[in-house]
Amino acid sequence: DIVMTQSPDSLAVSLGERATIKCKSSQSILYSSDNKNYLTWYQKKAGQPPKLLIYWASTREFGVSDRFSGSGSGTDFTLTISSLRAEDAAVYYCQQHYSTPFTFGPGTKLEIK
Amino acid sequence: QVQLVQSGGGVVQPGRSLRLSCAASGFTFRNFGMHWVRQAPGMGLEWLAVISGDGSKESFADSVKGRFTLSRDNSKNTVYLEMNSLRHDDTAVYYCAKGAIGSTDSWGQGTLVTISS
């Protein structure tokens, strides 16, 4: 199974500042046939289902704010949230869709200072 | 718009069974795989299983393999998660989600399953 790790476990960032969350997979999740990284980012708030933010490591889901961006390839990925707003407080998860089981990272809790 | 409406959660004793349902609308159901994910209290998200659009292929996490089964009725636009031999550590909010290439793009509202004697 592919193991996903995230760092940090939690972070507190001031309104208007930038937050950066890292995700690492235990093996490459770059699919050679289409040259896409099968890495997805979700936002999870208490009492709500996860919300898809980014897929293929850097493609923003329709309707997601352009303050959210994803980057990386192979085994190392980053979610960046710019110009933080109060509503960005949540837990962020990465997930690989390269091979089953489609494992999640442990999550990163983002608090707003 | 895509809607996934879940039902079937509740309190059940250890060792018993429970079936969750997820009724879909707003898309061509038979064309998409469907996933199940859960979140135990205070824990992270755990991917559990996926079933292909035509129901011919399934995959499960080791934690539920052999105890949980998947099925779908494309005539009713509904996917089912049959959970058997339930254990205390199966207590969680269970979500169904619509598969997309490289992601799951729409989610049900979640249903709480509590395993308690």
Side-chain angles (χ1 to χ4, degrees):
Chain A
D1 296 1
I2 297 175
V3 176
M4 305 299 290
T5 56
Q6 290 183 232
S7 62
D9 295 335
S10 65
L11 73 166
V13 181
S14 299
L15 286 169
E17 298 296 307
R18 173 167 32 189
T20 301
I21 299 170
K22 302 283 189 182
C23 173
K24 189 175 182 68
S25 56
S26 60
Q27 66 184 73
S28 175
I29 55 175
L30 173 62
Y31 198 41
S32 57
S33 64
D34 60 8
N35 201 38
K36 295 187 187 300
N37 290 280
Y38 280 71
L39 189 282
T40 306
W41 288 99
Y42 300 91
Q43 178 190 67
K44 178 72 169 69
K45 296 181 179 181
Q48 297 182 19
K51 176 185 177 182
L52 174 63
L53 298 174
I54 303 279
Y55 59 97
W56 293 337
S58 61
T59 301
R60 198 178 302 113
E61 171 71 343
F62 179 77
V64 171
S65 170
D66 59 6
R67 297 184 300 104
F68 292 88
S69 62
S71 62
S73 184
T75 61
D76 293 278
F77 302 91
T78 301
L79 174 70
T80 302
I81 312 169
S82 61
S83 304
L84 269 170
R85 298 180 181 174
E87 63 261 34
D88 297 333
V91 180
Y92 292 84
Y93 292 91
C94 62
Q95 183 193 24
Q96 62 84 15
H97 273 255
Y98 182 85
S99 63
T100 57
F102 294 139
T103 42
F104 285 93
T108 295
K109 185 176 183 179
L110 173 61
E111 296 176 330
I112 311 298
K113 286 182 188 175
Chain B
Q1 74 281 19
V2 173
Q3 272 201 308
L4 299 173
V5 178
Q6 298 181 228
S7 59
V11 181
V12 64
Q13 294 178 327
R16 304 297 289 263
S17 299
L18 194 65
R19 188 177 80 160
L20 305 183
S21 301
C22 173
S25 61
F27 64 101
T28 305
F29 183 68
R30 64 180 181 275
N31 288 350
F32 292 90
M34 295 296 294
H35 298 247
W36 289 88
V37 172
R38 70 184 178 186
Q39 185 173 35
M43 304 292 284
L45 298 172
E46 180 187 13
W47 180 87
L48 297 179
V50 61
I51 183 168
S52 62
D54 64 2
S56 63
K57 299 177 185 174
E58 301 162 10
S59 183
F60 294 89
D62 286 346
S63 58
V64 302
K65 196 176 297 182
R67 298 189 301 124
F68 289 14
T69 61
L70 282 171
S71 61
R72 62 189 294 160
D73 186 339
N74 286 349
S75 69
K76 295 182 178 179
N77 287 359
T78 302
V79 62
Y80 305 96
L81 180 68
E82 182 81 32
M83 305 185 293
N84 303 305
S85 304
L86 284 162
R87 313 185 302 220
H88 288 289
D89 63 358
D90 292 319
T91 294
V93 175
Y94 285 73
Y95 296 98
C96 63
K98 170 180 166 285
I101 299 177
S103 71
T104 42
D105 59 3
S106 299
W107 293 67
Q109 82 276 19
T111 188
L112 177 62
V113 173
T114 302
I115 312 305
S116 173
S117 50

